[in-house]
Amino acid sequence: MNSGDAWVEGPNGERFWGRFGAAGLLVHDAKRGILLQHRADWSHFGGTWGLPGGARHEGESAVDGALREANEEAAVPPDAVDVLFTSTLDLGFWSYTTVAAEVVKPFQARMADVESIELRWVPIAEVAEFPLHPGFASSWPELRARLSALAE
């Protein structure tokens, strides 16, 4: 597949990572919480906390891209999670899809590449207390509500 690793520039000059869009995996474990990635300082919005994810390859679905990226960055085995839902921010020229998934087979997340300072399981109630990536911060209230509704 053709890698999407490149910047896309919006009509107002803002930059977004991923020529074919991007996707991230919101991993939820009933016992441990949400898997957060402390982003490397050199990355876009470095030093903030967000989800493992990144640029989609050409022709790659958002779900496949999120699972691949989470495996590459945080050693999340694709067969250890079940997809619950997706949520997409579509700007017309670029999109980001959050793929929410539930852990069905316990695994040990680990930093599998240089894109993380740290990985941490965070209780749902504490996620908003972290300095979050701006995109994740703006979507977290809706994502949290959807996760909570599924748990009821």
Side-chain angles (χ1 to χ4, degrees):
M1 288 189 162
N2 190 4
S3 170
D5 288 346
W7 292 101
V8 171
E9 189 169 315
N12 297 324
E14 63 275 272
R15 293 174 5 139
F16 301 89
W17 185 248
R19 287 188 306 150
F20 310 110
L25 193 66
L26 174 64
V27 183
H28 176 253
D29 184 300
K31 293 184 172 100
R32 298 180 287 180
I34 303 296
L35 179 61
L36 290 184
Q37 174 192 50
H38 194 183
R39 300 168 57 81
D41 289 331
W42 54 264
S43 68
H44 197 226
F45 293 107
T48 62
W49 291 80
L51 305 176
R56 291 169 47 194
H57 292 322
E58 185 175 25
E60 183 177 49
S61 73
V63 170
D64 288 345
L67 290 170
R68 176 185 51 76
E69 286 282 340
N71 182 259
E72 290 174 2
E73 295 178 1
V76 176
D79 66 345
V81 297
D82 276 347
V83 173
L84 299 171
F85 63 86
T86 62
S87 177
T88 302
L89 168 68
D90 189 346
L91 302 178
F93 61 91
W94 182 85
S95 67
Y96 182 90
T97 300
T98 301
V99 178
E102 185 72 30
V103 172
V104 293
K105 183 168 54 173
F107 64 91
Q108 183 62 44
R110 65 175 173 75
M111 293 185 295
D113 68 11
V114 299
E115 295 185 38
S116 304
I117 296 170
E118 178 184 357
L119 297 170
R120 188 183 302 179
W121 291 99
V122 177
I124 287 178
E126 297 174 19
V127 169
E129 296 172 17
F130 283 69
L132 300 176
H133 178 286
F136 180 52
S138 66
S139 64
W140 174 239
E142 178 190 336
L143 294 167
R144 179 180 178 177
R146 289 183 72 179
L147 281 173
S148 296
L150 290 173
E152 292 176 356

